[in-house]
Amino acid sequence: MERFNSLTLVAAFAAFNATAVFAHDDDASIIRGSVRVTVYDGVTDDLLSAGLNLAGLETNPAVPAPGFVDPLNPTPAELRRRAIYNNYRGIVDPVPAGGMGLLWGPRSSGAPAFAAPVTPGLIPGVEYKAYLRTPERHGHVNNVPAAVQIPRHFNESKPCIVAAVPSGSRSLYGGIAVAEWALFKGCAVALPGKGTDTGFHLLGAEAAAYAVDDIDGVFGPAEAIGDDAQFAVRDSRRLDHYLAANPHRIAIKHAHSQLNPERLWGQFTLSGIEFAFWALNDHFNRKGKTRFDRKNTIVIAAGASNGGGMALRALEDNGKGLIDGLVVTEPNIGPEDGRFVIRFGDDPPFDPAGRSIYDSMTLMSVYAPCAALSPTLAGTPFFGLPPLGGAAPNAPQNRCASLKERGLVSGDDITAQAASALAVIRAHGYASAQDWGIASHEWLSLWRSLQVTYANAYGRFAIQDNICGVSFAAVGATLQPAPITEANAKKLFADSSGIPATGGVNLIADWAQGGPILENFALSRSTGLGDLNLDSALCFRSLQTGEGLSDGRAWANHARVRFGTREIQTTGRLHGKPAIVIHGRRDALVFPNLQSRAYYGLNQQREGKKSRLSYIEVTTGQHFDTFISSLFVGPNGAQFVPLHYYFVKAMDSMYAHLTTGAALPPSQVVRPTPRGTDPYSDANVPALLPLPSLTPTGDRITFEDGVLSIPE
């Protein structure tokens, strides 16, 4: 494509309120290759919702998800629209009664208004998109996509940037719901990928015509896309041998990049912020002078879940002083071991040292299927249902029996064995406040999905290493590996979360009796039972503990994973920058005891009085706002409150602090009330969702003499 001067074209197309895409010469050291600049006029397309507006994003049975004119040839614009749809709804409760359209979403309170012909609810502006330069490649193609959004109402006299980093293993649009606050405020948005992203390499011969995807998510031949692929595995003799015996497999960027990308999340965030500065200066170029820099532009790092951990890592790595403040929710952060204990109410002190997120997910993968049968969990979401995917109804009972046979649980019946499994989980730091999520998270196969991707990532394993006998592939009618359909492949960028099972890519139990099959249907070779592939679960657990290893290769794999988990540990040093961490007490995925509570304690130990970190614990919050009004409802309606509401309010507080010096709320417990069957309204929100206090009394979280005290 011919290259043009960006300023001239942006001005021209903005004047005509047209939407256009053009290339830009790469003259920024932080960027690899050319930059794509798109002007969104706010008439039919925009920065926040890709033109979907409130009606297209909220849950409405009459309005389907955005599709494609030709499913076998989706356009970049169509893929972007569907990706924004799925990523936005993956963070917030998209149900109108749950706050959509009132507390967040296009046309909600705080949304900017523009003169005609801009459609109310849409946000016009310019989007820059490019690959960031990465420090390592390891022979594979490992590109990190990033975008910068500059809304039309960006205030040049009060410049601000929000780094809205993606949650989960999602790609650059994974933080679009987080970006909404910035776009409403008129801030530029940095949307960096995290080196996990939605990059896939379809390795079956049948997918040669659409093997990898580019920065827009468009799939094509690996040879044609080349180094512009998001991710591609370089061929090798060992890979060819593996595929001959294991056809139709799919390499996943997060799992198989061999980078352990989590250790680089902070660098990717900072690079995304530098890209934002470059884009701002390019867009508002005035006689070649740099107008925006860290001295005159406010920068806030923000994110949820893995995005929260990514933002915190960036603040720890903030050597150039790019970041002024931070707001995150439920971060996966992996703190180093400290010398402190956590005291919750009158419970005995708990020491979080020695535990990692991989430790947690592999322990839950082994024990949660059995613990989920405990009668004490009756009435929690999905209690008593078979695992997702239609596995044998007795699979959880078989898991209990297999654990009992190995001496890992005790008891002569299912009730006693489930109680034994629950006790193991409790000793690990899984509090009773999180018990509600054992059955639902197990039904969703969360733990078994996560452990595969993270084990491969931490150990920097190649796909052909086939760690613990679990691989990724589509399945056919017999539930055995089969070619992924072309239509599913072509929309992976838009539909995938980055961690299988996702978008038609499934977990395959390669060690199953009778050969590879969809994991939930596997019969274990060791027991002959359908016990949810316990053989592989114990293998993944051994990579953490070293237990049961019998040969040198297994010990080497254990060492690699342990080294990888140490690589991603964080220091808790935030350089005295103001920061707000929000976590739901009932988070059943990222346990407060091992993540936010532990990180706050480490920060207090390391920074002491220099710390400006506030930890806000929300008693009725949990990890997945998107499920509050759909999957996680109780007999009396919604039983949780949205953490995203507290994120929005914390962003307001942080911005006021950075611009006017307004005080930030100190660390405390907040006690909101779930809405039940009543919709949120302007009238009931203040009572149901109280804000953190500037002067908390009995709810104050304190750290003294090596004890972090959390009021019950």
Side-chain angles (χ1 to χ4, degrees), residues 311-555:
L312 278 165
R313 292 172 189 278
L315 191 51
E316 288 193 0
D317 295 343
N318 191 34
K320 295 182 180 180
L322 292 176
I323 300 172
D324 299 299
L326 172 143
V327 176
V328 299
T329 61
E330 68 259 49
N332 166 23
I333 186 53
E336 294 175 345
D337 292 345
R339 298 184 304 278
F340 62 90
V341 294
I342 300 169
R343 184 183 293 277
F344 174 70
D346 295 327
D347 290 353
F350 174 77
D351 185 352
R355 295 165 175 84
S356 66
I357 191 71
Y358 183 75
D359 188 12
S360 297
M361 65 180 63
T362 54
L363 180 131
M364 294 298 289
S365 173
V366 171
Y367 290 98
C370 181
L373 299 176
S374 172
T376 63
L377 305 181
T380 62
F382 299 96
F383 177 78
L385 293 183
L388 180 65
N394 62 342
Q397 289 86 342
N398 289 343
R399 173 62 71 90
C400 285
S402 295
L403 291 174
K404 172 67 183 300
E405 182 180 341
R406 287 168 169 77
L408 297 175
V409 299
S410 60
D412 295 328
D413 58 27
I414 292 297
T415 298
Q417 291 161 7
S420 178
L422 187 57
V424 173
I425 292 171
R426 183 79 74 244
H428 181 75
Y430 190 96
S432 58
Q434 289 112 50
D435 281 354
W436 73 272
I438 294 178
S440 62
H441 289 27
E442 174 54 33
W443 181 83
L444 291 166
S445 301
L446 288 180
W447 309 112
R448 280 174 282 126
S449 296
L450 291 168
Q451 68 182 359
V452 185
T453 294
Y454 280 82
N456 277 278
Y458 291 148
R460 303 199 196 193
F461 295 114
I463 184 174
Q464 57 265 31
D465 290 321
N466 195 218
I467 293 300
C468 294
V470 179
S471 59
F472 304 126
V475 298
T478 62
L479 304 181
Q480 296 171 315
I484 188 170
T485 67
E486 184 175 357
N488 276 350
K490 293 293 183 67
K491 62 181 180 177
L492 272 174
F493 169 82
D495 283 4
S496 171
S497 66
I499 292 185
T502 182
V505 181
N506 299 286
L507 303 181
I508 304 300
D510 294 318
W511 290 352
Q513 187 179 103
I517 194 170
L518 188 66
E519 186 180 54
N520 277 356
F521 291 83
L523 298 178
S524 294
R525 289 181 182 176
S526 62
T527 65
L529 296 174
D531 56 12
L532 301 172
N533 198 18
L534 178 60
D535 290 344
S536 289
L538 291 174
C539 172
F540 286 116
R541 183 69 182 147
S542 72
L543 294 176
Q544 164 67 29
T545 65
E547 297 174 358
L549 302 181
S550 58
D551 58 60
R553 182 177 181 182
W555 277 106

Side-chain angles (χ1 to χ4, degrees), residues 581-600:
V581 171
I582 305 164
H583 211 120
R585 177 173 290 179
R586 304 190 71 187
D587 192 331
L589 181 71
V590 177
F591 311 152
N593 268 338
L594 306 181
Q595 301 291 326
S596 290
R597 288 178 179 176
Y599 189 85
Y600 178 72

